[in-house]
Amino acid sequence: MGILDSKIPKGPLADKWTKHKNTINLVNPANKRNIDVIVVGTGLAGGSAAATLAELGYNVKTFCYQDSPRRAHSIAAQGGINAAKNYQGDGDSNYRLFYDTVKGGDYRSREGNVYRLAEVSGNIIDQCVAQGVPFAREYGGLLDNRSFGGVLVSRTFYAKGQTGQQLLLGAYSAMNRQINRGKIKPYNRHEMLDIVIVDGKARGIIARNLVTGEIERHSAHAVVIASGGYGNVFFLSTNAMGSNVTASWKIHKKGAYFANPCYTQIHPTCIPVSGDHQSKLTLMSESLRNDGRIWVPKKKEDAERLRSGKLKPTEIVEEDRDYYLERRYPAFGNLVPRDVASRAAKERCDAGYGVNKTGEAVFLDFGAAFMRYGREEANTQHLDNPSEEKIKELGKAVVEAKYGNLFQMYEKIVDQNPYETPMMIYPAVHYTMGGIWVDYNLETTIPGCFAAGEANFSDHGANRLGASALMQGLADGYFVLPYTIGNYLADDISTGKISTETAEFEAAEQEVRARLEKLINTKGTKSVDNFHKRLGKIMWNKVGMSRNAPDLKDAISEIQALREEFWNDVKIPGTANEMNSELEKAGRVADFLELGELFAKDALHREESCGGHFREEYQTEEGEAMRDDENFMYVAAWEYTGKPADAILHKEQLEYENIQVKTRSYK
């Protein structure tokens, strides 16, 4: 076991990033023209990094498995992006955003990185407005803000319910400008299958052309992994079906430590599971918790009648409703952090108060918001004695303007009108706070290999605040990595072009080909999805919202057995030398079958509850997470040694010099 050096600069917190930028090495503009950088993943983190690096003068190659960067999963982020601009005048500041993020992460995030994130957040908004991102505006033309879970201020900038899509289009337009200049060479429908290390440094990747099946070698002076998170290890998640861990897992197996894999976020506002036929889950934006009130019936008999269809939610009167978040957490109410809201929903449903046929759903009700907004609108329009129906009509119009596309999406999926009957929601796997370990420069434990966005672990601790994913992705891509990667590349200005005709590239390519051939030649009887679904059930049932030692040990054994069965009985039609979507999926599921074991191993070793990691053995009398700061105030970074079971733990101790660590309370 080793102790990791995060390379956080010394000195006052507010000065660290400025001092670091002023003292790290730079690359002369003329020399940047001779340096190549590979960026794997073209979502918000990868797209913004590629565009900025190319703008600086580097030669950039981008890789994504989609047919266009516009299809990156960043597009699915709905609710908004945080920034500490204090436009509402409600007391926000860089420090407040920093504090909320560290507290929201249950004091398991790195102080220096988080303050930098808060510090550059305002620049992101300015950048995106300049790109033409259509953020919502108030009547006077100023940018509007709304609040999100875990905070007491309004700092979230948004574009209706499609913020991720609009921000991604901004990054994509910046990429396109560089593609037209010849500074970015895009490789769409390509999947990275290995990293190539020469003399201890990352010098390129092996990629598969997903259209032709051809294996390709690509060299560079540095490699950036920005391929997102690993939530699809659960099979059912809010992630796009193609989202995977392959790029991160390949560099992990070549020396990049994997940090905190058990820190996975369960999002509280997802459309509930409807049956075994589903291949993914749909997220309803957390922004809905601003105006929607979450409740279940107070009486179990009412819940039973709801489940059997004998009672409608609108027939339950106000005094028979349990607004349990408002009851348990009066200070934050429906805007408690995601992990708190998710566990509270599970607790109510487990107690028998669930409201859908499966008993795994709670209501998200906008009735009060319709009336509140309606009265405001009636006053604005100077309507005298408007009827209840008129007030409700006016209120619905206001809510539609804020969340209309989300309500429309819900109605299409569930076939219920959320303007007339409360939405039903239930927690689901969403975001992964764990990921590749990086230092302050976003460099992994492989020299020359960097990780940005959700692919790294660095900013969110054990739980991510809502609207902070887009913030971290764009902070890393636009304002952090373009500075810090120069510190590494300054030593490469005289290296020259990296050749792909070397023994290292040959060995990596042959390793990839052998793995693909092994998959194709298994000639088993079960489909790839069969194994993925079975893995997902193990993960959800035993490594999901709550965990305990016996279940985790069982999960490890079951995943090991499932992995062995996969390699002996998976059925993949076709060949490796053609377009073959089943082969693509098989490679990704093979990686999930290894990650899943490390995930459970990490959860078993962390004998405490914190944020999204909830061990049933470690909870307060009220059922809240019980941290063990004395023994577990560290990042758990795992080194691959041949099998997940044999991974070696390395620790990065977390130190808080500017925050008083205390029990996290939202009451």
Side-chain angles (χ1 to χ4, degrees):
M1 182 178 70
I3 303 298
L4 292 169
D5 179 12
S6 61
K7 300 179 182 175
I8 295 178
K10 303 294 183 186
L13 189 63
D15 298 338
K16 288 181 187 292
W17 179 229
T18 300
K19 178 183 176 183
H20 192 62
K21 287 189 294 182
N22 288 339
T23 55
I24 58 176
N25 295 318
L26 300 177
V27 180
N28 181 312
N31 289 326
K32 288 181 177 129
R33 294 193 290 267
N34 301 318
I35 292 179
D36 304 323
V37 180
I38 285 173
V39 179
V40 179
T42 51
L44 280 183
S48 58
T52 309
L53 291 169
E55 181 76 40
L56 289 171
Y58 297 105
N59 306 308
V60 179
K61 292 181 180 180
T62 59
F63 293 81
C64 70
Y65 68 80
Q66 301 97 337
D67 55 5
S68 166
R70 290 174 300 168
R71 293 177 64 84
H73 187 60
S74 301
I75 202 172
Q78 300 163 339
I81 177 171
N82 289 331
K85 281 189 169 287
N86 196 33
Y87 281 176
Q88 303 299 314
D90 55 2
D92 203 9
S93 64
N94 287 346
Y95 183 87
R96 175 67 67 177
L97 175 53
F98 155 70
Y99 175 77
D100 286 345
T101 303
V102 173
K103 179 186 175 186
D106 219 351
Y107 305 96
R108 292 294 179 264
S109 49
R110 187 190 283 161
E111 194 178 68
N113 285 66
V114 176
Y115 193 88
R116 175 175 66 186
L117 178 66
E119 194 176 350
V120 305
S121 65
N123 296 341
I124 298 170
I125 305 304
D126 297 339
Q127 168 95 355
C128 294
V129 169
Q131 290 175 336
V133 173
F135 285 122
R137 293 179 182 269
E138 296 176 329
Y139 179 77
L142 299 176
L143 295 181
D144 195 14
N145 291 129
R146 55 190 179 201
S147 56
F148 257 63
V151 304
L152 294 172
V153 298
S154 294
R155 66 161 67 97
T156 304
F157 296 78
Y158 64 98
K160 210 168 185 179
Q162 51 185 247
T163 313
Q165 178 179 359
Q166 298 302 329
L167 291 171
L168 186 63
L169 289 173
Y172 180 63
S173 66
M175 277 185 68
N176 264 344
R177 178 170 178 269
Q178 302 305 324
I179 291 170
N180 291 336
R181 291 180 64 222
K183 295 302 293 181
I184 292 180
K185 189 169 184 180
Y187 290 86
N188 300 343
R189 298 293 286 134
H190 281 68
E191 184 167 29
M192 170 188 160
L193 294 182
D194 211 347
I195 190 168
V196 181
I197 298 176
V198 181
D199 295 331
K201 296 181 178 181
R203 291 304 198 192
I205 66 170
I206 305 297
R208 182 171 181 266
N209 184 321
L210 300 181
V211 176
T212 66
E214 183 181 357
I215 304 299
E216 301 174 2
R217 305 177 184 183
H218 295 274
S219 66
H221 297 87
V223 176
V224 177
I225 303 298
S227 52
Y230 49 88
N232 274 356
V233 69
F234 287 86
F235 185 69
L236 284 181
S237 80
T238 66
N239 287 242
M241 288 180 65
S243 297
N244 62 84
V245 75
T246 290
S248 293
W249 196 250
K250 297 310 185 192
I251 67 170
H252 170 57
K253 294 177 79 169
K254 288 294 178 71
Y257 295 174
F258 209 103
N260 299 335
C262 76
Y263 287 166
T264 300
Q265 184 165 81
I266 311 294
H267 197 293
T269 55
C270 298
I271 296 177
V273 175
S274 58
D276 288 339
H277 61 281
Q278 281 182 273
S279 56
K280 78 175 297 293
L281 299 175
T282 303
L283 169 71
M284 299 304 295
S285 170
E286 187 181 14
S287 62
L288 295 172
R289 288 202 281 153
N290 275 301
D291 291 310
R293 300 178 71 194
I294 296 172
W295 63 276
V296 293
K298 286 183 179 178
K299 303 174 183 176
K300 275 192 180 179
E301 53 265 34
D302 284 347
E304 291 167 0
R305 293 173 66 203
L306 282 169
R307 292 196 290 270
S308 64
K310 296 177 181 177
L311 184 67
K312 295 180 180 179
T314 50
E315 294 173 340
I316 300 179
V317 296
E318 191 73 13
E319 55 265 29
D320 289 335
R321 300 180 178 189
D322 178 16
Y323 296 95
Y324 58 88
L325 289 178
E326 298 173 30
R327 169 172 57 82
R328 291 176 61 175
Y329 309 102
F332 283 75
N334 296 294
L335 289 176
V336 293
R338 291 174 174 178
D339 62 309
V340 177
S342 296
R343 283 197 297 276
K346 183 178 187 296
E347 184 275 328
R348 287 290 78 196
C349 291
D350 288 350
Y353 295 91
V355 299
N356 69 345
K357 290 181 180 179
T358 66
E360 293 185 325
V362 299
F363 288 126
L364 180 63
D365 195 332
F366 287 82
F370 294 151
M371 301 307 292
R372 184 177 73 253
Y373 284 127
R375 292 188 187 95
E376 289 180 11
E377 196 65 19
N379 288 333
T380 302
Q381 296 181 20
H382 304 292
L383 300 180
D384 292 328
N385 299 317
S387 66
E388 291 263 320
E389 288 74 20
K390 182 61 177 178
I391 290 173
K392 193 171 184 179
E393 177 188 332
L394 292 170
K396 285 180 179 178
V398 174
V399 170
E400 183 178 8
K402 295 179 74 173
Y403 311 112
N405 61 315
L406 300 174
F407 277 58
Q408 183 183 44
M409 181 174 71
Y410 180 89
E411 184 170 7
K412 284 185 175 181
I413 293 172
V414 182
D415 196 26
Q416 290 182 4
N417 183 349
Y419 293 102
E420 303 301 330
T421 187
M423 287 183 181
M424 289 185 292
I425 58 170
Y426 194 69
V429 172
H430 178 53
Y431 186 91
T432 53
M433 286 79 66
I436 297 299
W437 186 90
V438 293
D439 62 17
Y440 192 70
N441 292 323
L442 304 186
E443 189 172 12
T444 73
T445 45
I446 300 174
C449 180
F450 296 77
E454 191 178 359
N456 74 35
F457 87 99
S458 66
D459 290 358
H460 306 296
N463 176 56
R464 177 176 67 78
L465 292 179
S468 285
L470 304 182
M471 176 175 64
Q472 188 214 344
L474 292 182
D476 286 356
Y478 281 138
F479 298 110
V480 178
L481 186 70
Y483 284 104
T484 61
I485 199 170
N487 187 56
Y488 171 82
L489 292 172
D491 293 333
D492 266 323
I493 58 176
S494 59
T495 300
K497 206 76 175 172
I498 306 294
S499 172
T500 59
E501 300 301 318
T502 64
E504 291 86 354
F505 273 91
E506 177 66 22
E509 180 180 332
Q510 291 308 316
E511 190 177 325
V512 166
R513 290 186 183 277
R515 183 178 173 88
L516 294 175
E517 288 299 325
K518 184 177 180 182
L519 285 168
I520 283 287
N521 292 329
T522 300
K523 308 296 184 187
T525 62
K526 298 184 180 72
S527 70
V528 175
D529 282 346
N530 174 281
F531 289 98
H532 199 177
K533 287 180 180 180
R534 289 162 64 192
L535 172 64
K537 286 186 176 180
I538 295 169
M539 295 297 296
W540 180 250
N541 292 333
K542 298 186 176 180
V543 204
M545 284 181 66
S546 59
R547 304 148 184 182
N548 59 63
D551 279 352
L552 289 170
K553 291 174 183 176
D554 287 346
I556 290 171
S557 298
E558 290 172 23
I559 293 169
Q560 289 172 344
L562 185 63
R563 186 168 66 242
E564 184 176 354
E565 182 185 345
F566 171 86
W567 282 103
N568 287 304
D569 199 25
V570 69
K571 180 180 181 180
I572 304 170
T575 71
N577 302 315
E578 62 180 349
M579 180 185 287
N580 191 334
S581 59
E582 284 300 299
L583 181 60
E584 294 171 36
K585 285 197 295 183
R588 296 166 190 168
V589 171
D591 294 329
F592 280 136
L593 284 164
E594 295 183 351
L595 166 70
E597 182 180 348
L598 183 66
F599 190 127
K601 179 184 175 81
D602 186 47
L604 181 62
H605 116 273
R606 188 169 284 276
E607 296 177 338
E608 65 165 350
S609 292
C610 56
H613 168 63
F614 191 77
R615 284 283 298 270
E616 294 169 2
E617 304 95 326
Y618 308 102
Q619 57 181 304
T620 66
E621 291 181 2
E622 295 81 21
E624 304 295 345
M626 183 185 290
R627 296 194 320 265
D628 181 353
D629 294 338
E630 183 177 348
N631 295 305
F632 289 96
M633 185 80 81
Y634 61 76
V635 175
W638 298 93
E639 178 186 1
Y640 185 82
T641 61
K643 290 189 292 188
D646 299 330
I648 297 173
L649 174 64
H650 298 266
K651 297 180 180 180
E652 178 200 330
Q653 291 297 142
L654 296 170
E655 297 178 358
Y656 293 101
E657 300 174 2
N658 300 274
I659 289 181
Q660 181 184 355
V661 178
K662 52 189 177 183
T663 302
R664 191 177 60 153
S665 174
Y666 290 92
K667 296 185 178 182

